[in-house]
Amino acid sequence: MKKLIIASMLVAIASMSPVMAQNKPQAIIAVDAGPGMVKALEGVQFQGKFKSIDSKTRKVVIVGPEGRELEAILGDEVKNFDKIKVGDIVTLSILKVIVSDVKVISNGIKERQETITYSRAQTGEKPAGIIEHQVKIVADIMAINTKDNVVTLKGPYKTVQVAVGPDVLKGVKVGNQIEAVITQNIAVQVTAPPAK
C-alpha cells in the first residue's frame, strides 16, 4: 500500500524552490490509508512570472510557462504589493484533501459544518497567502464504485459523489455511517527569481 503523509506533502509544496520557475502545471496526487482513517489528496500547481506592474492601478501582467499572459488587478487584500518586482515568480497551488480523518460511526445525526480560514505574509515580505476551506460532515455511504474510485455520500442536505484514491475504499462499505473532513487549500506565493 502506498503511504504518504499529507501534512508533509503540504509543507513540501509550500517550500518549493523558485528554481522551478515557470514549470508547466503539475498534478499532485497522494494517498494514505490506515486504521480509522482514509485520506486522498489531489491538486495542481501553476507558476508564472511578473512581466509588468502598474503601482497606481495595481494592474499586473503575468506570463505563464507557454508564453500565455494573464492580466489582473490586485486589490487591497493583496498585502505588501510594493514588494512585487518585475521578474518575480508567482506560484499558485490548489490542493484538495478529498476525504480525510474518516471515522465509521453509528446512529449519528447527519450534519455539515463549514469553516474558512485565511493566512497572509508578514509585513515587509513578498505577498503570500493561504485560504483553507474545510467541511466536516456526518453522512451515510450509499454506494461505492470501485472501478472509478467514487463514493456516494448522503449528507443532511444532499447526496454527493466524492472521488477517492484507489486504496481509500478499503475498510468502508455501503451502509456505514461516517464522519469525514473534506479540505481544500489554495495557496499563492511570490518569490524572487533565482540568482544567476
Side-chain angles (χ1 to χ4, degrees):
M1 179 189 305
K2 183 180 177 183
K3 293 211 173 210
L4 187 58
I5 303 303
I6 288 177
S8 64
M9 186 68 157
L10 294 173
V11 169
I13 290 164
S15 62
M16 283 183 173
S17 165
V19 171
M20 296 178 60
Q22 291 192 284
N23 279 343
K24 291 184 178 179
Q26 299 178 33
I28 304 160
I29 298 174
V31 173
D32 185 12
M37 68 174 185
V38 269
K39 298 183 180 181
L41 176 144
E42 68 177 3
V44 67
Q45 183 182 75
F46 302 88
Q47 288 188 319
K49 187 182 289 186
F50 285 94
K51 178 181 177 181
S52 68
I53 302 164
D54 186 326
S55 57
K56 290 182 182 176
T57 63
R58 296 177 67 101
K59 179 180 171 184
V60 298
V61 176
I62 299 170
V63 181
E66 296 174 354
R68 293 186 202 162
E69 294 186 359
L70 167 70
E71 291 185 5
I73 294 177
L74 305 182
D76 293 337
E77 66 275 5
V78 178
K79 303 300 181 187
N80 306 335
F81 178 85
D82 61 320
K83 299 294 180 186
I84 303 173
K85 307 294 182 201
V86 170
D88 279 354
I89 294 151
V90 60
T91 304
L92 171 65
S93 302
I94 302 171
L95 303 171
K96 185 174 183 183
V97 179
I98 306 171
V99 177
S100 69
D101 302 326
V102 169
K103 298 177 192 172
V104 176
I105 60 175
S106 60
N107 301 321
I109 298 172
K110 291 190 193 79
E111 63 176 328
R112 174 187 172 100
Q113 299 173 351
E114 245 176 299
T115 56
I116 298 176
T117 55
Y118 304 88
S119 62
R120 292 189 175 121
Q122 298 295 318
T123 301
E125 296 178 347
K126 287 193 181 284
I130 298 174
I131 299 172
E132 180 178 279
H133 179 213
Q134 191 172 85
V135 179
K136 181 179 179 181
I137 60 168
V138 173
D140 296 328
I141 297 180
M142 306 302 293
I144 298 175
N145 179 337
T146 54
K147 181 181 175 185
D148 298 323
N149 297 317
V150 172
V151 175
T152 302
L153 299 175
K154 183 177 182 181
Y157 307 117
K158 60 183 176 179
T159 300
V160 296
Q161 292 187 324
V162 181
V164 296
D167 294 331
V168 170
L169 299 177
K170 296 175 182 176
V172 295
K173 58 187 179 183
V174 172
N176 282 159
Q177 187 176 58
I178 62 165
E179 180 181 284
V181 177
I182 301 170
T183 307
Q184 182 175 32
N185 288 286
I186 300 174
V188 177
Q189 182 179 24
V190 175
T191 54
K196 292 183 180 180

